[in-house]
């Protein structure tokens, strides 16, 4: 996964955390469409999110990154179901 | 979504954060299969995770819950793609 995607994500996330505006929230939603098109899995998204939060938040309690590791594992089955869907769609094309 | 699911999730997450053992991580993976069967969306999973972290971690920097709100919005399109998949599978039955 390109590092560039992570940097872009961090930028949008930072903007949202600073302003908490609806506009930035919708920017995120639109950005997520690109993620799906690029076949970035939901567990990869959590991983990108984890890195962004670690880089952005000072004095992050250690429980937070650990909790993200758990969430990544939880998300793996969602990712598999989604992959199944993407390959079904390709077959139908 | 039943409150019970959230409580169960918190229990397993807490165990993982305390021990960081592979066994607890796999317990999470298996738990996530049940989540998918119950048609709990990935954005709902993030929301359950957010609540658990807020209740569990003392002195959580405010950026963290805000970052979860952003992640929930990001996950909505993944949830939609998954729903589409589940309804395709039902049609094929």
């Amino acid at each position: 996964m390109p590092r560039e995607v992570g940097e872009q994500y961090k930028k949008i996330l930072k903007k949202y955390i600073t302003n908490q505006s609806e506009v930035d929230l919708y920017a995120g939603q639109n950005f997520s469409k690109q993620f799906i098109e690029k076949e970035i899995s939901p567990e990869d998204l959590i991983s990108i999110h984890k890195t962004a939060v670690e880089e952005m938040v000072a004095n992050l309690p250690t429980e937070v990154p650990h909790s993200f590791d758990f969430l990544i594992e939880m998300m793996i089955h969602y990712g598999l179901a989604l992959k199944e869907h993407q390959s079904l769609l390709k077959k139908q094309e």
Side-chain angles (χ1 to χ4, degrees), chain A:
Chain A
M1 177 191 355
R3 196 180 150 69
E4 200 189 299
V5 173
E7 286 302 320
Q8 258 182 296
Y9 183 79
K10 206 174 115 181
K11 213 168 141 186
I12 304 182
L13 176 62
K14 199 171 190 169
K15 216 173 151 205
Y16 172 70
I17 288 181
T18 311
N19 306 316
Q20 289 149 55
S21 83
E22 288 288 312
V23 176
D24 294 323
L25 212 53
Y26 289 126
Q29 269 211 29
N30 286 326
F31 195 46
S32 77
K33 280 185 203 166
Q34 291 177 40
F35 269 51
I36 295 177
E37 278 161 20
K38 284 179 186 165
E39 297 195 8
I40 291 175
S41 68
E43 63 271 25
D44 283 340
L45 168 57
I46 309 290
S47 179
I48 292 168
H49 186 83
K50 180 192 170 193
T51 306
V53 169
E54 283 180 318
E55 289 176 3
M56 243 167 31
V57 183
N59 303 320
L60 192 66
T62 54
E63 290 100 322
V64 177
H66 290 322
S67 90
F68 277 126
D69 292 333
F70 187 82
L71 187 59
I72 288 168
E73 288 298 319
M74 284 289 295
M75 211 43 102
I76 284 174
H77 284 290
Y78 284 89
L80 287 175
L82 206 64
K83 239 183 211 163
E84 211 181 290
H85 181 54
Q86 281 161 336
S87 68
L88 263 181
L89 287 184
K90 271 183 194 156
K91 265 186 209 162
Q92 287 178 347
E93 273 171 15

